[in-house]
């Protein structure tokens, strides 16, 4: 595989680096996530102007025809700054579900609005009892004349507080954990019967519990064929794993650099603690863990588009296993090397560890994906 970025990708990387440097110092981020919304509408509009919101979508639906590699490049830089805008929830999850499961009419109508920054999406794929099983769906969609009536609850819907529309999985047929019978629907956030209980997540982002209480939607809200939404949902989540892997790599890079700088200046017994050989060895181990994660994130970005769905699944799960391992190691060691200050809310290290922990637990943890990879091999 060729891991060299193209000239255009290097320019994209430099653009994202400048944005993070200008807008995401630690103090700037703290002020931003402490607001009611948790991110900046002005910066979201800037994303649209820079083409980042339309980057993964085809040109005929208002996008720029980018690949997962471009997404990796941007999200790695976002990870370095702990960018709080709902890029993953709207572009990767919501937009991805439209790309992989939406009809041509739905894509033509909605994706240009997403690319322009005028439409935010949330993907409701998890429920209280489902753990990491995407097929464990108790939310129901029952036909009523030419419409569907949706009832149920979707848990931890990223970006829910500010989403204009939700894409939700609901069961139209089959048993409680059957892959067949899962359908995807587009639901307006302000539709009658939709309610959202919003909350900040441990990493400072925003999510919500979305309740569907007899929500009536038209037949045009159904994405693809009835009962055949599982494949599109699984594909979308695999793409999200590749995207958040890149973000985790960026966060680990920033955390390693921060820790290295700290041990160069923190003195004990009359000298910087970075002169102690055991801590030098620890930093080397952290660097290796980051490099292992980076290699896997690159592999995922280049193989997530594989035509063979089994290869795509294996690439996503293998990446998630390594990201979970590396993120936990880098985060724990960084906190330990910082000592007490690493545990405080006023210092950046803990915030990076929280984001890495959230990424580890999203879309299946390392143990889940190790088992999934074994079952696929």
């Amino acid at each position: 595989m060729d891991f060299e970025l193209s000239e255009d990708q290097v320019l994209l990387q430099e653009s994202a680096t400048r944005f993070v440097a200008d807008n995401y110092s630690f103090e700037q981020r703290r002020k931003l996530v402490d607001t009611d919304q948790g991110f900046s509408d002005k910066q979201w509009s800037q994303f649209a102007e820079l083409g980042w919101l339309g980057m993964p979508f085809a040109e005929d639906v208002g996008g720029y025809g980018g690949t997962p590699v471009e997404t990796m490049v941007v999200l790695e830089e976002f990870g370095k700054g702990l960018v709080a805008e709902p890029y993953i929830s709207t572009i990767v999850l919501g937009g991805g579900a439209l790309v992989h499961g939406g009809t041509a009419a739905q894509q033509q109508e909605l994706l240009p609005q997403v690319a322009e920054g005028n439409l935010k999406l949330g993907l409701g794929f998890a429920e209280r009892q489902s753990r990491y099983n995407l097929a464990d769906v108790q939310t129901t969609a029952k036909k009523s004349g030419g419409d569907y009536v949706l009832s149920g609850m979707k848990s931890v819907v990223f970006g829910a507080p500010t989403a204009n529309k939700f894409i939700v999985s609901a069961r139209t047929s089959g048993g409680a954990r059957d892959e067949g019978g899962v359908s995807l629907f587009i639901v307006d956030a302000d539709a009658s019967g939709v309610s959202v209980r919003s909350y900040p997540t441990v990493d400072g982002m925003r999510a919500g519990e979305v309740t569907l209480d007899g929500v009536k939607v038209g037949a045009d809200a159904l994405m693809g064929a009835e009962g055949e939404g599982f494949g599109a949902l699984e594909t979308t989540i695999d793409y999200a794993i590749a995207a958040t892997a890149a973000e985790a790599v960026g966060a680990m890079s920033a955390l390693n650099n921060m820790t290295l700088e700290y041990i160069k200046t923190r003195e004990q017994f009359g000298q910087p603690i970075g002169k102690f050989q055991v801590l030098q060895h620890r930093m080397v181990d952290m660097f290796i863990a980051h490099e292992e994660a980076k290699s896997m994130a690159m592999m995922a970005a280049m193989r997530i588009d594989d035509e063979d769905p089994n290869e795509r699944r294996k690439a996503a799960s293998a990446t998630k296993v390594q990201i979970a391992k590396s993120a936990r190691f880098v985060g724990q060691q960084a906190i330990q090397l910082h000592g007490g200050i690493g545990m405080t809310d006023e210092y950046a290290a803990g915030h990076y560890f929280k984001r890495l922990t959230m990424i580890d637990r999203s879309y299946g943890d390392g143990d889940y994906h190790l088992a999934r990879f074994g079952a696929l091999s």
Side-chain angles (χ1 to χ4, degrees), residues 44 47-48 52-57 61-62 86-87 89-92 94-96 98 106-107 109-121 164-165 167:
W44 188 252
F47 285 10
W52 296 345
L53 301 186
M55 185 172 59
F57 309 138
V61 291
Y87 192 89
S89 60
T90 290
I91 307 303
V92 179
L98 280 169
Q106 291 164 344
Q107 293 172 2
E109 177 189 359
L110 300 179
L111 288 178
Q113 297 179 54
V114 172
E116 292 164 3
N118 298 323
L119 178 66
K120 297 184 183 71
L121 302 172
N164 307 112
K165 292 181 183 292
I167 296 171

Side-chain angles (χ1 to χ4, degrees), residues 259-273:
T259 305
L260 180 60
E261 190 63 31
Y262 180 80
I263 67 172
K264 285 180 178 180
T265 56
R266 173 73 166 90
E267 290 192 359
Q268 193 171 18
F269 305 117
Q271 61 181 325
I273 62 174

Side-chain angles (χ1 to χ4, degrees), residues 157 159-163 166 189-190 193-199 207-211:
V157 180
T162 53
F166 297 112
D190 58 0
V194 176
S195 61
V196 179
R197 183 175 67 85
S198 304
Y199 49 81
E209 307 294 298
V210 178
T211 300

Side-chain angles (χ1 to χ4, degrees), residues 11 13 20 25 56-57 63 65 88 97 130 132-133 135 137-138 147 151 172 211 213 241 256 258 262 308 334 340 364:
L11 292 174
Q13 184 182 55
V20 170
S25 69
F57 309 138
I88 296 287
S130 64
Y132 302 130
N133 186 352
V137 177
Q138 293 185 0
D147 300 324
S151 298
T172 48
T211 300
D213 185 9
I241 288 171
N256 275 354
M258 184 186 311
Y262 180 80
D308 182 348

Side-chain angles (χ1 to χ4, degrees), residues 89-159:
S89 60
T90 290
I91 307 303
V92 179
L93 290 172
L98 280 169
V99 168
H100 300 298
T103 65
Q106 291 164 344
Q107 293 172 2
Q108 289 288 345
E109 177 189 359
L110 300 179
L111 288 178
Q113 297 179 54
V114 172
E116 292 164 3
N118 298 323
L119 178 66
K120 297 184 183 71
L121 302 172
L123 178 63
F125 60 89
E127 299 184 3
R128 289 177 177 177
Q129 80 292 336
S130 64
R131 293 290 292 170
Y132 302 130
N133 186 352
L134 298 175
D136 190 340
V137 177
Q138 293 185 0
T139 298
T140 60
K142 297 180 179 180
K143 281 190 173 181
S144 176
D147 300 324
Y148 289 88
V149 177
L150 279 63
S151 298
M153 178 181 286
K154 311 307 289 190
S155 297
V156 197
V157 180
F158 299 123

